[in-house]
Amino acid sequence: MLEIKDLHVSVDGKKILKGLNLKVETGKVHAIMGPNGSGKSTLSYVLAGRDGYEVTGGSIVYNGEDLLKMKTEERAAKGIFLAMQYPVEIPGVTTMMFLKSALNAQKRARGEPELDAMGMLKLVRAKAKDLQVSEEMLKRALNVGFSGGEKKRLEILQMSLFEPKMAILDETDSGLDIDALKLVAEGVNTLRAPDRSMLVITHYQRLLDFIVPDRVHVLAGGQIVKEGGKELALELEEKGYADVVKVPA
Amino acid sequence: MSAAAQREARRTEALDSFRVRGMPHRRFEHWRYSDLRAVLDAGQVAQAGTAKWNIEHLPEGVELFDLSVQDAPEWVMKTLGHVGNRRTMVEASLAFSEGGVALRVPKGKHIAEPIKLEIGGQGNLRWLIVLEQGASATVFEPHAHDAGYLRNVGVEITLAEGAELQHVRCAPLAPRSFTVELMALELAKHAKYYGHFANFGSRLSRTEAHIVLGGEGAEAHLSGVAVLGHEAHSDVTTHIEHAAGKTLSTQLFKHVAGGKSRAVYQGKITVRDGASGSDSRQTARALLMSPRAEADLKPELIIFNDDVKCAHGATVGDLDPESLFYLRSRGIPEKDARRLLINAFLEEAVDVIGNDTLKETIWHDIEAALPRAMEAAK
Ligand SMILES: Nc1ncnc2c1ncn2[C@@H]1O[C@H](COP(=O)(O)OP(=O)(O)OP(=O)(O)O)[C@@H](O)[C@H]1O
Ligand SMILES: [Mg+2]
């Protein structure tokens, strides 16, 4: 599905990813853990194609294609989805109208028929219910005045609407209370599919109790420094990063 | 003296006054950003003739007087050339126009249907509207894009006690024209004026409103959008005088400037000694779409009374890269994402228009103007 080789990334001239290697298998859930500032969000932005993240070396191959050659919106249409650590508030754009524009833009790019307003409304309503996203929220401006948890739920709602092939969840668990965490995890779990991969970035074992990963990778100092099965997450939780991994300088 | 003779006398005064002061230029107060003298001379204004006006359908209950008829009734005589101060371009429009139109809505009449006053052609023009006590009306003032070289319009609006006027002015793309429109408004007790000024780019456009909130509880609510590209220059200048107690004014202007265009907003608020308990709010924001576009936003506050509330803000910026990335990461192509964000930026300034049909008209014009405004300078 996704193969990252020797990736080097700088932001504003500062080297952040320094030779990162990572392989994500089709249909698997991979978790990435790592200390603050190690480059987890940077990795997620590079995958989604954010401007200002300069790739100075290495490659990313996504389903046999060079991901780095694709525009941000092209990546989305081809199935890359990033649930952001800090979803952006956009006043003046209603949530519902945003969802419709985004889904139809992806469909258009793939040559699929677009949904009309009614079809869209039905689809969104059905999905919103499971994630307890209210009608009222859908009418409001995108993320404006949403609580931290509401923003995260809306990210997952988008994920279930867009049905991506490669979903990256950047600290989707942060800011969620226990009930919301379960709700979100359930949402994510129902999306697990043989043709869908996930990259779950988190600091906490707690999320991984609900979304059980196939592989766990530790990102530190801009590299993947350790990999293992789901038990690695438990080990990290018990001992902390310092004891488990040697952080490269 | 007959009405015709009185008008002639006032016109001579206007002519003399314009001759002495001439065209406004950089060193005139509030013409700093729009140096009219640099692009037009007084002779061109004097020889431009009279611009055209047209009201296809006059809603029932509205009185109309054609200003090209010299023998005007008293309500016209009291108003024409007598509202507001005698700014030089106002005097020019009075001196050099052979016509125009005066409208009146009688006491207590509510006119639901908008009065569509189309303005076109080249030259000077005057129009005025008088709303008697408790009357209400909507004036939609679309300008034709055939402005030719120059159009100079003088407008007078008087609102008697409790009268309410909604006014939507829409100036389409006219890249070769110079268009000046100076409005003077007087509001009595509890009268309300809602003005919206939309501008889509001309070589130089100056829209100026001087509003006197003369009666207690009078209100002026101004809003506007400009969507500019290429070398358009749009200048919106307002002066609101709070002359009585408990008066309220709000202003919300949103300007988008691309190419090498320039958006100017100057908003002066004067709070007079007697205006206790008045409240004024003023927001102007500009979005620059190109490194060579420019915006000058100048709020100005002059207060002679301590018991007042004033809030103002002005910001110039460009599209938020984080928002742009968010939308694109959801599959929305860059161009559409930009459009979406520009519309979002303009939204609140259009949303205040109180008539849905007019609101749609403005959105329609915005859509048409956006591609130009989204171009970077060549
Ligand atoms: N625009 C920038 N300019 C300079 N440094 C930056 C910029 N953006 C991020 N960084 C730095 O890059 C490093 C990695 O940041 P990143 O957000 O990827 O970390 P993270 O692993 O996601 O951390 P957290 O767990 O706190 O979310 C940090 O040291 C951060 O300060
Ligand atoms: Mg992060």
Side-chain angles (χ1 to χ4, degrees), chain A residues 50 72-73 76 81-82 84 88 90-91 93 97-98 102 105-106 155 158, chain B residues 320 322-323 325-334 336 340-341 344 347:
Chain A
R50 183 169 180 167
T72 307
E73 50 267 38
F81 175 79
L82 167 61
M84 291 189 203
V88 187
I90 308 186
V93 176
M97 121 74 159
F98 156 75
Q106 292 187 25
E155 293 290 288
Q158 291 176 53
Chain B
D320 173 34
E322 273 201 63
S323 305
F325 168 63
Y326 189 87
L327 296 175
R328 291 179 66 194
S329 78
R330 270 46 179 163
I332 299 176
E334 181 173 359
D336 298 345
L340 211 61
L341 292 176
E347 165 89 30

